[in-house]
Amino acid sequence: MEPPAGAAYTDTPAADLALQVRSLYRYYQTGTTVVRALDGVSFDVKVGEFCAIVGTSGSGKSTLLNQLAGLEPATAGIVRVFNRDIAALNERELVEFRLQNIGFIFQSFNLIKSLTALENVCLPLVFKGVNPSLRKKAATVLLQQLGLQNHAGHLPTQLSGGQQQRLGIARALIANPRIIYADEPTGNLDSKSAQETLKLLKKIAAAGNKTIIMVTHDEHLAQYADRIFKISDGKLVAVSRGTISDNVNKQ
């Protein structure tokens, strides 16, 4: 199945692509019914792009994000992340690949309530075996960059929704991932905090050459992205450019 116009980069070297998705299918069997959660999706994402996957509930956008992260197997098709076919990795290799390359930002923040802000941010470096003094230093720098330096000792429940999401972003960044997957990162935020979060993600992609893939149902907030992939009934039906082009370096 040919991708929509603007979905694939036919003249871009593989080394410059963060994602290559080709003819991706994911079917589920529910009783006698086959659900086509993904139905032949194909697209590319360049290194350093901020892309949004937009669709209504049940469109297949969350299933697509799970496929891109290797969280569930495809029925058919190819997903290459930094030119690695993730279907060819065994479970141990996949865990290691995620640890070294991928960061996650969640709608519900997924912070550990019994840990301070600083300790939450440090957590990915604990899994990587970084010594305590170095991970504390790295987390302190990130908290300062995200305006949370005065909240390092606070528990998540002592922070606002916007602050918790910035904390989640700091946690995703601390291991220096090459690609960040954001699953409805503004879903639990008020409109002002949502806009601030999107401006921050846009700034991170622009300044750090990091690739960001965001799933959202909000077509307005998706306009902060460089490109927008619209999903409907498991198909990629349109690709467009984001219309909000704030000078993020001034934010």
Side-chain angles (χ1 to χ4, degrees):
M1 181 180 295
E2 288 297 317
Y9 291 121
T10 56
D11 298 325
T12 301
D16 294 331
L17 295 176
L19 286 173
Q20 297 167 280
V21 180
R22 289 294 179 273
S23 302
L24 190 62
Y25 294 84
R26 183 64 167 115
Y27 294 169
Y28 299 96
Q29 185 86 31
T30 57
T32 59
T33 303
V34 175
V35 178
R36 295 172 178 253
L38 292 175
D39 199 12
V41 173
S42 298
F43 63 91
D44 296 327
V45 175
K46 288 181 181 178
V47 172
E49 272 196 292
F50 175 19
C51 295
I53 300 170
V54 179
T56 58
S57 178
S59 62
K61 62 186 188 299
S62 293
T63 300
L64 178 55
L65 193 68
N66 288 341
Q67 296 289 314
L68 302 182
L71 296 176
E72 59 181 66
T75 302
I78 297 172
V79 176
R80 290 192 180 94
V81 184
F82 301 112
N83 211 29
R84 292 285 300 276
D85 181 356
I86 60 175
L89 304 178
N90 62 37
E91 189 59 34
R92 182 188 60 79
E93 292 170 334
L94 193 52
V95 169
E96 181 65 20
F97 183 78
R98 289 196 203 102
L99 187 63
Q100 298 300 327
N101 294 282
I102 298 174
F104 293 93
I105 301 170
F106 305 96
Q107 175 180 346
S108 56
F109 316 136
N110 283 10
L111 301 170
I112 297 178
K113 294 180 180 180
S114 61
L115 299 183
T116 66
L118 183 69
E119 291 167 337
N120 267 284
V121 176
C122 284
L123 202 54
L125 296 187
V126 174
F127 298 135
K128 293 188 77 170
V130 177
N131 76 60
S133 61
L134 287 179
R135 65 190 186 228
K136 181 178 179 181
K137 182 178 180 180
T140 300
V141 169
L142 267 176
L143 289 175
Q144 173 128 21
Q145 290 174 342
L146 298 183
L148 294 170
Q149 64 271 22
N150 295 328
H151 302 286
H154 291 175
L155 297 174
T157 54
Q158 297 173 305
L159 303 177
S160 69
Q163 289 169 336
Q164 289 186 66
Q165 191 54 286
R166 274 186 281 154
L167 190 60
I169 292 170
R171 183 185 55 193
L173 289 172
I174 195 166
N176 196 29
R178 300 169 71 189
I179 188 166
I180 296 171
Y181 295 128
D183 189 4
E184 296 279 7
T186 61
N188 287 334
L189 303 180
D190 59 68
S191 59
K192 181 180 178 182
S193 296
Q195 291 179 22
E196 289 174 350
T197 296
L198 267 296
K199 289 177 181 178
L200 177 58
L201 292 177
K202 193 173 181 73
K203 182 178 180 180
I204 289 166
N209 202 33
K210 294 189 183 299
T211 307
I212 298 178
I213 309 296
M214 175 182 71
V215 162
T216 181
H217 67 278
D218 191 318
E219 296 199 19
H220 171 69
L221 292 178
Q223 299 303 319
Y224 281 91
D226 299 319
R227 282 192 304 156
I228 302 165
F229 301 113
K230 187 169 184 179
I231 301 289
S232 180
D233 296 328
K235 298 179 184 293
L236 177 57
V237 295
V239 180
S240 59
R241 305 292 301 185
T243 59
I244 298 177
S245 56
D246 298 354
N247 187 343
V248 294
N249 292 320
K250 294 183 179 180
Q251 299 300 327

